[in-house]
Amino acid sequence: MRSTPRTTSRPLVIASIMASMAMVAIEATIVATVMPQIATSLGGLHLYSWVFASFLLAQTAMTVVFGKLSDLYGRKPVMLVGIAIFLVGSVLAGFAWSMPAMIAFRLIQGVGAGAIQPVALTIVGDLYPVRERGKVQGYLASVWAVSAVLGPMLGALIVQKLSWAWIFWVNLPIGLLAAAGFWFFLREAPSVRRSSIDLIGALLFTVGIAALMIALTEFGIGNTGPATAWALGFVVAAVLFVVQERRAHDPMISFRLWGARVIATVNGASMLVGMSLIGITTFLPMYVLVVLERSSVVAGLALTMVMLGWPLGATLASRTFQRFGLWRVVFAGAALIPLGALAFALLRPGSSPVLAGVGSFVIGLGFGLLSLGSLILIQESVELSQRGIATASNIFSRNLGSALGATFFGAIFNVGLSRANGGALISESQLRQLLEGTHDGPAASVSDVAIRAALAGSLQFTFLVMLAVTLGIVVLAFVLPRQGLGSRAGEAPTQEALPQNLH
């Protein structure tokens, strides 16, 4: 088992963690802001969505792999490798000459991000005891909130003053400073654990998750033929992976670990959180723009309230879980999420956008409480030698939920739209014209009124399904075993109270 020597400078390591996570977090919003200019410059507009999908695909597939590697070879080398890969991808993306090249380089960035996020959170778990860890995790949650606000502004400024390539190259000084911080200030005792990586299992896992993500993406854009083929590839890879893991001496994925009640329940809730978050991000702005007929600024503010509530919820969790116990914090967060989703379900064409903003804030507050409580719970539910893979499993579940949610809620929206519009779908050109009309404020035509009514009905149906999904989070939180969860005030989980199959 590994221990962290006292020579480690915790404040400087945390600064490095925040810098590396900010680099990954801001990349998502900054690229989304500038992508229209990039597509205009490179061409290949039909591949637009794959610039984002390739990053998410690689990040999700590699999260668990790097989590396992950090358990075997240490956090520091894996983090440095992750930063190096991310920076290489960033440099290459700035030199991209075509859309396929951009997709390939974004995939490299995603591989690096798959190492940075889980290993950074695991390092925090290694450095700080549970009583101090909550506050630090709250700081890290604020990084994502600040990045969500600064990303679009920074992207617009860079494109205005420089070329779009600098949205990728700006990562270089941040990443190098973060790497230097880990190199000089993070000290790990040499690992005495002798083991070998399950290369076949890692390969099958990566191929399987990549096939699943591609299948979901193809289903989301209506390409059922390729989607079915990729889904079949996922099934084959999954079967081979299970066979390999059952025979491997030190498997890539421990089914006993992932199947333990605490971890399986928390990860299930995290997956539903990912689904809910992508549903809100996709459909709430559309409702505010088209149905409530408000500006894009108002729609953005309504959605931004999620990112305001999230760090506040994480901070609240960090200050209260020792007093009330992790189970109560997790359950409180789970209960707030459907309460916020109920506000969306109550939206009507004449509603105030304030209702949407309040719902977003409450959901964000619930996400913050639940995510921080879940992370501490998972890290304290395993031994140090399994903390990396356990932390990665939670992040993987949320990312997978986002991918599933994009396809699932897209299908729900189309079903609702078809029902509301007499069995016919609204074309993309009709929706684009309606959105342009919302910005310009012309008098609505009869056809516009009909389309708005159909969209209102479809979005209402989507929000009701989203409410049902969020209720599933409450159910999972309720069935969490309370032994070892700090049920009484001031208690933290103890190894003695954990299921035996986690040892």
Side-chain angles (χ1 to χ4, degrees):
M1 185 180 295
R2 215 168 31 251
S3 61
T4 304
R6 293 183 178 182
T7 52
T8 290
S9 176
R10 296 197 304 182
L12 292 173
V13 172
I14 293 303
S16 301
I17 289 174
M18 294 181 73
S20 59
M21 292 187 70
M23 182 175 64
V24 174
I26 207 168
E27 191 69 8
T29 53
I30 199 173
V31 171
T33 303
V34 183
M35 199 56 220
Q37 287 89 339
I38 296 177
T40 302
S41 174
L42 300 180
L45 188 61
H46 63 289
L47 298 172
Y48 188 99
S49 64
W50 276 101
V51 174
F52 304 98
S54 62
F55 184 94
L56 181 61
L57 184 155
Q59 182 184 22
T60 304
M62 297 305 296
T63 293
V64 174
V65 175
F66 282 117
K68 179 69 173 182
L69 288 173
S70 74
D71 285 336
L72 293 178
Y73 302 113
R75 323 298 186 205
K76 181 175 177 177
V78 174
M79 175 60 85
L80 291 174
V81 168
I83 292 175
I85 294 173
F86 189 87
L87 293 183
V88 168
S90 297
V91 171
L92 293 174
F95 287 112
W97 57 88
S98 66
M99 194 65 86
M102 175 62 74
I103 292 170
F105 300 148
R106 285 282 288 169
L107 189 142
I108 294 174
Q109 277 190 307
V111 172
I116 292 171
Q117 189 176 4
V119 178
L121 295 175
T122 306
I123 291 173
V124 174
D126 291 345
L127 291 179
Y128 290 88
V130 66
R131 290 181 178 83
E132 301 178 44
R133 195 180 311 156
K135 183 186 295 186
V136 179
Q137 300 286 12
Y139 295 154
L140 299 184
S142 67
V143 169
W144 293 89
V146 172
S147 299
V149 176
L150 289 183
M153 299 189 329
L154 185 60
L157 182 63
I158 289 176
V159 169
Q160 184 179 2
K161 301 295 183 180
L162 304 167
S163 73
W164 58 259
W166 284 95
I167 70 167
F168 300 106
W169 294 343
V170 76
N171 291 322
L172 284 175
I174 302 173
L176 291 175
L177 285 173
F182 290 118
W183 180 268
F184 290 109
F185 303 113
L186 178 61
R187 298 287 183 265
E188 288 185 301
S191 175
V192 298
R193 184 180 178 191
R194 295 179 178 272
S195 185
S196 59
I197 187 70
D198 177 18
L199 292 176
I200 297 177
L203 178 62
L204 289 172
F205 180 85
T206 304
V207 170
I209 294 302
L212 175 61
M213 298 285 286
I214 294 173
L216 292 171
T217 303
E218 294 291 340
F219 271 123
I221 60 179
N223 295 337
T224 54
T228 303
W230 282 107
L232 180 61
F234 163 71
V235 172
V236 172
V239 171
L240 294 175
F241 176 73
V242 171
V243 173
Q244 167 63 21
E245 297 307 274
R246 290 191 176 281
R247 60 185 288 271
H249 175 68
D250 189 8
M252 184 70 207
I253 299 293
S254 170
F255 294 133
R256 291 199 306 166
L257 175 71
W258 284 54
R261 184 177 168 186
V262 171
I263 293 181
T265 306
V266 169
N267 285 347
S270 294
M271 187 177 70
L272 296 183
V273 164
M275 291 181 66
S276 305
L277 184 59
I278 198 68
I280 296 167
T281 305
T282 304
F283 296 109
L284 182 60
M286 187 186 299
Y287 194 96
V288 176
L289 280 169
V290 179
V291 181
L292 300 186
E293 299 184 56
R294 302 300 178 119
S295 69
S296 58
V297 175
V298 175
L301 287 173
L303 184 60
T304 303
M305 295 302 290
V306 174
M307 300 312 298
L308 178 62
W310 195 310
L312 288 177
T315 302
L316 182 62
S318 69
R319 296 178 180 275
T320 58
F321 79 90
Q322 293 184 62
R323 179 178 179 184
F324 298 107
L326 280 173
W327 184 86
R328 290 186 180 91
V329 169
V330 170
F331 186 78
L336 284 174
I337 295 172
L339 186 62
L342 180 62
F344 300 153
L346 294 176
L347 284 171
R348 295 295 181 269
S351 298
S352 167
V354 173
L355 179 60
V358 170
S360 293
F361 177 79
V362 173
I363 284 182
L365 197 66
F367 283 163
L369 286 165
L370 179 65
S371 61
L372 182 61
S374 298
L375 183 60
I376 295 176
L377 175 59
I378 278 188
Q379 290 182 340
E380 291 304 300
S381 297
V382 296
E383 295 179 347
L384 183 62
S385 61
Q386 296 177 313
R387 186 173 284 164
I389 187 67
T391 302
S393 74
N394 189 246
I395 299 171
F396 167 80
S397 298
R398 190 185 303 165
N399 289 342
L400 182 61
S402 295
L404 291 170
T407 302
F408 174 73
F409 284 118
I412 294 297
F413 173 73
N414 287 332
V415 169
L417 198 58
S418 178
R419 290 171 52 190
N421 201 33
L425 291 175
I426 296 174
S427 67
E428 289 187 17
S429 61
Q430 286 178 303
L431 181 57
R432 188 181 304 111
Q433 291 172 5
L434 188 60
L435 289 172
E436 291 172 354
T438 301
H439 296 308
D440 299 335
S445 65
V446 174
S447 62
D448 284 352
V449 171
I451 293 174
R452 287 185 200 277
L455 281 169
S458 176
L459 289 170
Q460 188 72 30
F461 179 61
T462 304
F463 288 146
L464 286 172
V465 175
M466 189 185 304
L467 176 60
V469 170
T470 59
L471 288 172
I473 300 173
V474 179
V475 173
L476 289 172
F478 184 78
V479 301
L480 268 173
R482 305 188 192 184
Q483 294 80 11
L485 301 191
S487 307
R488 296 193 297 270
E491 288 185 349
T494 59
Q495 289 292 336
E496 291 78 5
L498 298 175
Q500 289 302 311
N501 60 352
L502 293 185
H503 292 271

